[in-house]
């Protein structure tokens, strides 16, 4: 059973690294917003995996808080963002 937890941890770390790269290298604000949403989803999966591994349900309250903050943040950024300018056209 420990092999399953190790594989889950490696996959979550890999997903975090990939989304962090997209967050830092994204050419536009919407790319970064999608990467941030994906990163929060990976964090929520990590917390859920930790809750299942440790059999501790007290950390699951943070899942609800992350889901609400992520939703409100995404909606507010999508609503109030300024359009990106193209590199060559003005």
């Amino acid at each position: 059973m420990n092999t399953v937890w190790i594989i889950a941890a490696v996959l979550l770390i890999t997903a975090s690294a990939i989304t962090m790269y997209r967050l830092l290298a994204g050419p536009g604000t919407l790319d970064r917003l999608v990467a941030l949403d994906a990163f929060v989803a990976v964090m929520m999966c990590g917390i859920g995996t930790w809750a299942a591994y440790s059999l501790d349900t007290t950390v699951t309250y943070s899942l609800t808080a992350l889901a609400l903050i992520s939703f409100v943040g995404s909606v507010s950024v999508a609503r109030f963002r300024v359009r990106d300018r193209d590199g060559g056209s003005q």
Side-chain angles (χ1 to χ4, degrees), residues 6-7 18-20 26 30 34 36 48 60 72 74 79 84 89:
I6 291 171
I7 291 172
I18 291 170
T19 55
M20 203 47 127
L30 287 182
V34 170
L36 186 62
T60 56
V72 170
S74 297
R79 172 70 175 99
D84 294 332
S89 64

Side-chain angles (χ1 to χ4, degrees), residues 28-30 33 75-85:
T29 56
L30 287 182
L33 179 64
V75 168
S76 63
V77 168
R79 172 70 175 99
F80 296 112
R81 83 171 188 95
V82 178
R83 288 199 179 271
D84 294 332
R85 291 189 178 198

Side-chain angles (χ1 to χ4, degrees), residues 30-84:
L30 287 182
D31 294 327
R32 289 187 170 103
L33 179 64
V34 170
L36 186 62
D37 286 340
F39 187 71
V40 170
V42 169
M43 280 181 18
M44 290 172 61
C45 290
I47 292 171
T49 303
W50 175 254
Y53 174 74
S54 66
L55 300 175
D56 182 19
T57 59
T58 58
V59 297
T60 56
Y61 296 114
S62 63
L63 292 175
T64 306
L66 274 174
L68 289 173
I69 290 171
S70 175
F71 173 74
V72 170
S74 297
V75 168
S76 63
V77 168
R79 172 70 175 99
F80 296 112
R81 83 171 188 95
V82 178
R83 288 199 179 271
D84 294 332

